[in-house]
């Protein structure tokens, strides 16, 4: 019998320690492992870069949560992305969502371009645009989906994109950082690989940089595992343990943060100072019907624009008390930022450029009344 995701989050990869019975997984820091004979590693472990029991526990946990067969852990979300891009050959194309994390765009368009990989930004909400991009130009090896997108909260139909991509012989990768497997499970919708910046919701406490991949396909796992070892961007066992500790409370954190975000989105939408709110849970969101079909809850990320524009947005972001002015997202504490000059600076002058006055919130698990009062005071300060 398969346990539900709330149960899996607590138990997957967290078997009591075999020797002591400790209910928190052990951290095995050893970089090398005694062999029972020449070339006979005990239980398969030989060297920490190629395999480590603590890392394996995390990899098993994320595979269980995503409904995958294989998990792979990396030193950061971008290291996981890099490992996926090793699947591309020179001359092949990568299609990337036209609203996406700026660092993904930077890695693909500024680093991989030097090795002959061509990256094209496409609005993946428009299936005709995707089909046209697939049909015109060099072979597309991979379609990279982010949904909801960062920072404009567009929602992409994962099963439709996976179907169109597969018919053109392309892999579908979903960056599931914003939604987490608690809200959406891309492998069940036909994606080939799920990628995470585990730095965000999975670890949940702004204290570890980490990345993960999950797939059901043995052939992909074999190639990804080869590159995980060959390129070496692996996480420390302690970092793996921190991610696992965070993942155990994923369900309760996501429920609370999502309900806070829904309340804030509704409140902002009713304010005169606010010109637009981007949140998948609003009935006015252009893909609201898809959100209800694809996501368990609309998540805890939202962005908005003020009628008074960019200078007021800056004043607002500098005036909050509880919403900390900082990059990143997905932790227990609420954060506020201006993507155009912070998280998405690397997308300036590119097809992924974001509006200058856009404000992005990562809503945490604090009391909703305190968060609303903080935003209300900051809106007043921004207008002064
Ligand atoms: C959606 C998304 N994907 C990938 C990344 C990159 O992950 P990391 O910072 O762990 O390398 C980020 C980081 O902000 C992100 O927000």
């Amino acid at each position: 019998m398969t346990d539900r995701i709330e149960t899996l989050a607590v138990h997957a990869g967290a078997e009591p320690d075999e020797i002591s019975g400790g209910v928190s997984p052990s951290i095995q820091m050893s970089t090398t492992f005694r062999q029972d004979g020449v070339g006979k590693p005990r239980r398969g472990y030989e060297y920490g870069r190629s395999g480590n029991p603590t890392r394996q526990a995390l990899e098993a946990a994320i595979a269980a949560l995503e409904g995958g067969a294989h998990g792979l852990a990396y030193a950061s979300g971008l290291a996981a992305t890099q490992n996926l891009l090793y699947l591309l050959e020179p001359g092949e194309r990568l299609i990337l969502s036209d609203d996406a994390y700026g660092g993904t765009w930077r890695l693909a368009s500024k680093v991989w371009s030097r090795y002959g990989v061509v990256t094209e930004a496409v609005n993946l909400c428009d299936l005709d645009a995707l089909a046209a991009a697939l049909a015109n130009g060099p072979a597309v090896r991979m379609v990279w989906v982010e949904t909801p997108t960062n920072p404009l909260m567009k929602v992409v139909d994962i099963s439709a994109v996976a179907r169109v991509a597969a018919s053109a012989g392309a892999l579908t990768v979903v960056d599931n950082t914003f939604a987490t497997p608690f809200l959406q499970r891309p492998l069940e919708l036909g994606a080939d690989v799920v990628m995470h910046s585990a730095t965000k919701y999975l670890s949940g406490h702004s204290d570890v940089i980490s990345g993960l991949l999950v797939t059901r396909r043995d052939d992909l796992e074999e190639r990804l595992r080869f590159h995980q070892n060959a390129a070496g961007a692996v996480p420390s066992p302690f970092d793996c343990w921190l991610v696992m500790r965070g993942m155990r409370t994923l369900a309760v954190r996501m429920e609370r943060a999502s309900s806070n975000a829904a309340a804030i989105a509704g409140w902002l939408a009713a304010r005169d100072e606010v010109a637009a709110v981007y949140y998948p849970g609003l009935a006015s969101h252009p893909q609201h019907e898809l959100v209800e079909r694809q996501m368990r809850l609309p998540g805890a990320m939202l962005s908005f624009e003020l009628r008074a524009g960019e200078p007021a947005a800056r004043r607002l972001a500098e005036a909050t008390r509880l919403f900390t002015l900082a990059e990143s997202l997905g932790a227990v504490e609420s954060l506020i930022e201006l993507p155009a000059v912070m998280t998405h600076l690397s997308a300036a002058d590119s097809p992924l450029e974001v509006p200058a006055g856009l404000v992005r919130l990562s809503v945490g698990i604090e009391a909703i009344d305190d968060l609303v009062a903080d935003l209300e005071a900051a809106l007043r300060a921004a207008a002064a």
Side-chain angles (χ1 to χ4, degrees), residues 179-202:
T180 83
F182 184 63
L183 303 189
Q184 128 191 316
R185 309 227 296 173
L187 299 180
E188 289 171 358
L189 300 172
D192 297 288
V193 184
V194 164
M195 176 266 157
H196 279 283
S197 169
T199 314
K200 312 295 177 350
Y201 288 105
L202 293 177

Side-chain angles (χ1 to χ4, degrees), residues 76-79 81 101 104 146 150 175 177-178 195 197-200 209-211 328-329 343 360:
S76 69
L78 274 173
T81 301
Y101 173 59
T104 308
E146 243 186 64
N150 181 1
D175 180 337
T177 300
F178 270 30
M195 176 266 157
S197 169
T199 314
K200 312 295 177 350
I209 300 283
S210 174
S328 201
L329 61 111
T343 47
R360 191 185 77 176

